[in-house]
């Protein structure tokens, strides 16, 4: 039907190939995050952006979720490094 010129069928086909975006990019300046402790600074920057009206609370919550995932990954990496160091020390 889409090939026959039915624009509704064509739109439905295109939406399945390239679904419409459900959200948009968030532009916010965050400090560099080198360790778990830096996540607090980044969260503070998010709150300030919400207070200034640059981000909606929903957008800030989404970015905060990403920050939390990153913080946990850094924390796990640090714990793994410390465990390896303790095991090496024990085996000496």
């Amino acid at each position: 039907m889409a090939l026959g010129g039915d624009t509704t069928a064509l739109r439905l086909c295109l939406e399945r190939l390239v679904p419409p975006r459900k959200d948009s990019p968030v532009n916010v300046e965050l400090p560099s995050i080198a360790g778990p402790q830096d996540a607090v600074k980044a969260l503070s920057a998010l709150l300030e952006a919400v207070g200034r009206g640059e981000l909606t609370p929903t957008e800030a919550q989404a970015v905060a979720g990403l920050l939390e995932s990153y913080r946990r990954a850094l924390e796990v990496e640090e714990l793994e490094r410390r465990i390896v160091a303790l095991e090496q020390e024990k085996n000496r």
Side-chain angles (χ1 to χ4, degrees):
M1 290 173 58
L3 293 174
D6 185 337
T7 57
T8 303
L10 179 60
R11 181 181 50 81
L12 291 171
C13 290
L14 288 174
E15 285 177 354
R16 273 143 188 88
L17 292 172
V18 183
R21 289 182 93 163
K22 295 185 180 182
D23 57 8
S24 59
V26 175
N27 294 319
V28 63
E29 191 74 29
L30 295 176
S32 178
I33 302 172
Q37 68 280 1
D38 295 332
V40 174
K41 294 175 188 170
L43 288 172
S44 178
L46 279 178
L47 287 174
E48 290 174 13
V50 170
R52 289 188 304 267
E54 296 172 0
L55 292 179
T56 66
T58 303
E59 291 170 331
Q61 186 176 22
V63 175
L66 294 171
L67 286 170
E68 176 60 16
S69 295
Y70 186 64
R71 184 201 61 79
R72 281 195 312 259
L74 289 172
E75 192 173 59
V76 167
E77 181 184 45
E78 162 110 9
L79 288 172
E80 182 180 359
R81 185 181 52 76
R82 291 170 66 186
I83 289 170
V84 167
L86 286 171
E87 287 174 345
Q88 289 175 346
E89 186 177 310
K90 180 183 172 193
N91 291 332
R92 287 183 189 173

